[in-house]
Amino acid sequence: MTATTAPEAALGVLPRADGSARYSHAGYTVTASVNGPIEAQRRDEHPYEAHVDVIVRPAAGVGGTRERHLESLLQSSLSQLILVKNFPRCLIQIVLQIEDSPENDYANTKLVQASLNFGIMPALFQTSVLALLSAAVPMRATATATAVAIVLQDGTRKKVIDPSPREIEAAKSVHVLAFTSRDELLLAESEGDFTVREWDEVCEIAERVCCRSTVTKEGIEMMLDDEVADGPDTRHFLRSAVEDKVAADLHWK
Amino acid sequence: MPREAEPSLSEKQFVLQALQENLRLDGREFDQYRPLELTFGDQYGVADVTLGKTRVLAKASAEVTVPYADRPLDGIFTIATELSPMTAPSFEVNRPTETEVLLSRLLEKTIRRSGALDTESLCLVAGQKCWSVRVDVHVLSHGGNLIDAACLAVVASLRHFRKPDTSIEGGVLTVYTPAEREPVPLSWLHSPFCVTWSFFGEEGEIAVLDATWLEEQVRVASCTISLNRHGEICQIAKLGGTPVEAVALLQCTSVALTKAKEFSALVDRKLAEDLKRRDKGGLMAELKAENDR
C-alpha cells in the first residue's frame, strides 16, 4: 500500500445513524457516526450548552490512555466548531471506528493494547468533520487537520507531511495542526524535541496544506501556480465531497 | 443514553398480519436472506460483512504471549464483541447489554468451543510462549440478524488472517516480521456458520429466516443453529419463551444446512478471489515457506 494515495470519502454510509462518513487517506481508513442532538445523561448534562462526546475505537485491541488523549484533543477542538450553545442539555455523540491503519512491516506489533499516535489524527479529524456535516449539526466553520513529522535524514532535518508509521518511529518530533475554514489555528499539538523556529516552519507547511485557497475569480476556481501539490488539498477535498453528496441527494430536483 | 424506540402497536400488528398472509415487508420469501456482501481489507484478517442494513467488521490479530498456567500446550484465542454507540445510541461504552452478551456467548459457542481454530497449533514453546489470536468484532450498523452476520465475519476474517512466521533453532525462538518472511495462515479445522430462525404467532407457527430489526422486535422466539457444511451441528440455542414444535425445528435444521453450504461456498469463493488479487505476478507460491501436505 502506498502512502501517497489520494483521499477518498463517502457520506451517509450507515443507515441508522443521524450522520456518518467514511474517509481513507494515507493508508488510514476511519468510519464515523454522529448522533445528535440527543438526550444527554445526567452526569454529562450542561445547562447552557451541548456536551460533545467523542469515542475513538481502535481496529484491534482495547483502547487505552493514548486513545483517551486523542479523544480529549478532538473533543476540545470540535466543541469549538459546533454551535454548542444552541442545544443546552443535549449530547452530540461522535464515534470514530478505525478500520485500517498502515502497519510497520519491519516490526511485529503488540496488539492487545492498541496504541495510536498522531499519524492518525488528520484522518480522525477529517472524518468527524465530514460526519458532522452529514448529520447537519450546525457549525461555526469547517476545519481540516494535518500531521507533520520532522525526520533526521542525512544530517538534515526534513519535514514530512502525513508521515508513515516508520517515519513517525524515527522522527525527532511529530506535530498535528488543524485550521478552520477561516484560516484560524484550531489545534496545535506536538510530541518530541524541536525548536521554536522548527515549529514556525511546521506551522507554515501545515497552513499551506490546510488552507490552500482555490481563489474564485469570476466564478472560475483557479489554483495558485506557485503552490504545486505538496500534500493533498484537504479543504478543497472536504468541500467537493460534501458537494458531491448534496448533488446526489438532490438529484430528483 | 436514550432508550431505543419500540415499534408502535399498529406497526407490530401490521408486521404480524402480513406474516400471517405469507408476506414480508421487504418482499422476501420466508427462507430467503437479504443480499449478503463480503469484502476483505488490504490487511490480512479484515472482513467486512454487509447483510441488508446490518454491517459488521471483524479484524483478527495475533501476538506472542505466555500461555495460561493450566493449559501450557494451548494458545490463546479470544473473540471480543463490544457494541459501540455507533450501532445505536442506546448502547453505552463499557456497559454490556443483553444483545451484546448473547452475541458474544453464541460466537464463543459456535467458533471457539467447536474447535474451529486448532489452539494447540498456536503453541510455540510449551508453557512459555504461544500465539494469542484475537478477533475484534465491530458492529457498524444493526439492521437485524446480527448473530449470523457477525459469525460469518469472524470466520471469514480468521480464514483470511495470516500470522507472522516463526522458527525455533537450538531453543531460540525467532518471530519474523512481514518484511522478512511471508506470514502464514492459521490452522483452521472447519467453518461453522450461524443460521437464525425467528418465530411469530401465538404458538410460534411462522418461522422466518434472517429477520430485520423490526421483525426481531416483534418475534416471540428465535432459534440459532450453528453448523458447518458437512451438517455437523455445533450448537442450537432456542431463545424466547414460546415453545416451538420439535418437527418444525427439524425442518429448520435441514434448511439451515443448505444455508450453511451457501455461506461456505461464498467464503471460499471470496477468499479465492482475494488470493488472486494479492498474487500479483504469481510470486506467492515462491514466497511461501510452508510445504504442501
Side-chain angles (χ1 to χ4, degrees):
Chain A
M1 200 193 313
T2 49
T4 48
T5 46
E8 271 177 55
L11 271 76
V13 285
L14 305 176
R16 289 193 67 198
D18 287 346
S20 56
R22 185 187 152 103
Y23 175 85
S24 54
H25 176 55
Y28 293 102
T29 307
V30 181
T31 300
S33 80
V34 170
N35 281 303
I38 52 173
E39 184 191 332
Q41 269 195 321
R42 278 298 275 279
R43 58 158 196 257
D44 297 331
E45 209 176 76
H46 194 288
Y48 298 114
E49 56 182 43
H51 175 73
V52 179
D53 190 15
V54 182
I55 300 162
V56 175
R57 289 173 58 87
V62 283
T65 38
R66 315 263 334 196
E67 283 72 33
R68 299 291 97 76
H69 178 54
L70 294 188
E71 279 172 17
S72 72
L73 289 179
L74 283 167
Q75 198 254 344
S76 55
S77 33
L78 290 174
S79 30
Q80 295 289 318
L81 287 179
I82 301 165
L83 296 172
V84 282
K85 290 272 193 304
N86 285 12
F87 308 105
R89 294 183 191 280
C90 283
L91 173 74
I92 292 164
Q93 192 172 49
I94 305 163
V95 188
L96 293 152
Q97 174 71 59
I98 298 158
E99 286 186 20
D100 234 340
S101 52
E103 260 170 29
N104 190 348
D105 265 357
Y106 296 88
N108 282 310
T109 40
K110 281 270 174 193
L111 281 161
V112 169
Q113 187 71 56
S115 60
L116 300 175
N117 50 35
F118 279 167
I120 202 166
M121 268 301 268
L124 291 177
F125 205 91
Q126 257 86 277
T127 324
S128 36
V129 169
L130 281 172
L132 283 167
L133 287 169
S134 153
V137 173
M139 289 196 283
R140 200 164 279 127
T142 60
T144 48
T146 189
V148 180
I150 299 179
V151 188
L152 205 60
Q153 208 174 51
D154 310 326
T156 52
R157 284 170 178 239
K158 216 181 110 199
K159 286 158 202 80
V160 186
I161 302 165
D162 291 325
S164 69
R166 217 173 162 218
E167 283 165 335
I168 288 177
E169 208 171 75
K172 297 293 275 182
S173 63
V174 188
H175 310 261
V176 178
L177 293 103
F179 290 86
T180 65
S181 47
R182 290 183 202 133
D183 299 357
E184 295 150 340
L185 184 62
L186 181 68
L187 169 79
E189 279 287 320
S190 307
E191 246 180 13
D193 297 331
F194 55 94
T195 60
V196 177
R197 227 183 108 198
E198 277 171 342
W199 191 88
D200 284 340
E201 284 167 15
V202 165
C203 186
E204 209 173 283
I205 292 174
E207 197 170 356
R208 232 179 29 234
V209 174
C210 292
C211 311
R212 193 185 309 153
S213 51
T214 43
V215 187
T216 316
K217 267 186 192 163
E218 294 142 24
I220 307 160
E221 288 196 336
M222 276 171 47
M223 294 278 279
L224 289 179
D225 286 341
D226 52 338
E227 287 169 13
V228 269
D230 48 356
D233 185 356
T234 37
R235 181 188 291 175
H236 188 238
F237 170 74
L238 219 64
R239 212 187 156 83
S240 61
V242 177
E243 269 172 5
D244 287 351
K245 175 68 181 159
V246 171
D249 282 354
L250 298 181
H251 182 64
W252 54 277
K253 277 196 169 173
Chain B
M1 301 297 129
R3 259 185 42 198
E4 193 66 43
E6 276 180 33
S8 64
L9 196 62
S10 42
E11 216 173 348
K12 283 182 188 170
Q13 284 299 323
F14 183 66
V15 175
L16 283 177
Q17 207 175 336
L19 283 172
Q20 260 145 15
E21 289 167 21
N22 283 331
L23 286 171
R24 284 176 90 170
L25 292 197
D26 44 9
R28 273 183 293 153
E29 298 293 320
F30 279 8
D31 60 349
Q32 194 185 355
Y33 266 80
R34 288 169 286 177
L36 183 64
E37 254 176 68
L38 170 65
T39 48
F40 293 108
D42 283 325
Q43 285 172 4
Y44 282 122
V46 180
D48 188 338
V49 170
T50 314
L51 183 64
K53 280 187 177 177
T54 303
R55 195 164 151 223
V56 182
L57 182 87
K59 186 178 161 73
S61 48
E63 67 168 351
V64 179
T65 47
V66 182
Y68 294 126
D70 54 336
R71 310 217 63 135
L73 295 174
D74 276 354
I76 301 168
F77 173 37
T78 42
I79 303 172
T81 40
E82 204 193 337
L83 299 181
S84 68
M86 185 180 265
T87 316
S90 53
F91 292 109
E92 244 180 283
V93 187
N94 296 329
R95 191 171 294 178
T97 53
E98 198 190 278
T99 330
E100 189 180 326
V101 174
L102 282 179
L103 178 67
S104 68
R105 270 184 61 90
L106 277 171
L107 288 182
E108 180 98 7
K109 280 201 276 187
T110 308
I111 299 166
R112 224 166 78 92
R113 283 214 243 147
S114 75
L117 178 66
D118 178 20
T119 47
E120 274 181 33
S121 72
L122 298 175
C123 179
L124 295 168
V125 182
Q128 285 171 21
K129 287 272 179 288
C130 72
W131 281 110
S132 162
V133 175
R134 180 190 165 96
V135 190
D136 289 80
V137 182
H138 303 297
V139 180
L140 302 183
S141 132
H142 181 9
N145 203 8
L146 204 54
I147 291 165
D148 296 9
C151 183
L152 188 78
V154 171
V155 168
S157 80
L158 280 168
R159 286 187 57 184
H160 187 244
F161 183 61
R162 303 279 187 275
K163 69 178 182 343
D165 200 6
T166 52
S167 74
I168 297 177
E169 256 176 61
V172 181
L173 172 74
T174 322
V175 180
Y176 296 100
T177 60
E180 287 168 332
R181 271 197 196 177
E182 189 61 20
V184 291
L186 299 169
S187 145
W188 191 250
L189 300 179
H190 73 125
S191 303
F193 296 99
C194 290
V195 178
T196 304
W197 285 93
S198 299
F199 299 101
F200 298 86
E202 295 274 293
E203 278 149 27
E205 66 274 6
I206 304 166
V208 160
L209 261 186
D210 187 30
T212 60
W213 174 234
L214 183 61
E215 286 168 339
E216 272 189 12
Q217 283 171 306
V218 178
R219 72 184 176 194
V220 292
S222 74
C223 180
T224 304
I225 303 158
S226 308
L227 72 177
N228 60 18
R229 70 190 162 97
H230 307 297
E232 291 160 343
I233 291 175
C234 308
Q235 65 93 25
I236 293 183
K238 159 77 182 54
L239 306 168
T242 315
V244 176
E245 273 198 52
V247 184
L249 273 184
L250 279 177
Q251 234 163 12
C252 290
T253 337
S254 62
V255 177
L257 178 58
T258 59
K259 293 293 167 195
K261 278 179 182 161
E262 280 174 33
F263 289 153
S264 180
L266 175 87
V267 173
D268 286 345
R269 202 183 70 230
K270 291 283 177 185
L271 279 170
E273 275 173 22
D274 187 74
L275 200 67
K276 211 178 250 178
R277 187 172 63 92
R278 281 167 193 276
D279 192 9
K280 282 188 191 119
L283 283 168
M284 221 49 156
E286 282 173 45
L287 280 169
K288 261 200 309 198
E290 63 179 346
N291 296 318
D292 287 325
R293 279 176 197 260

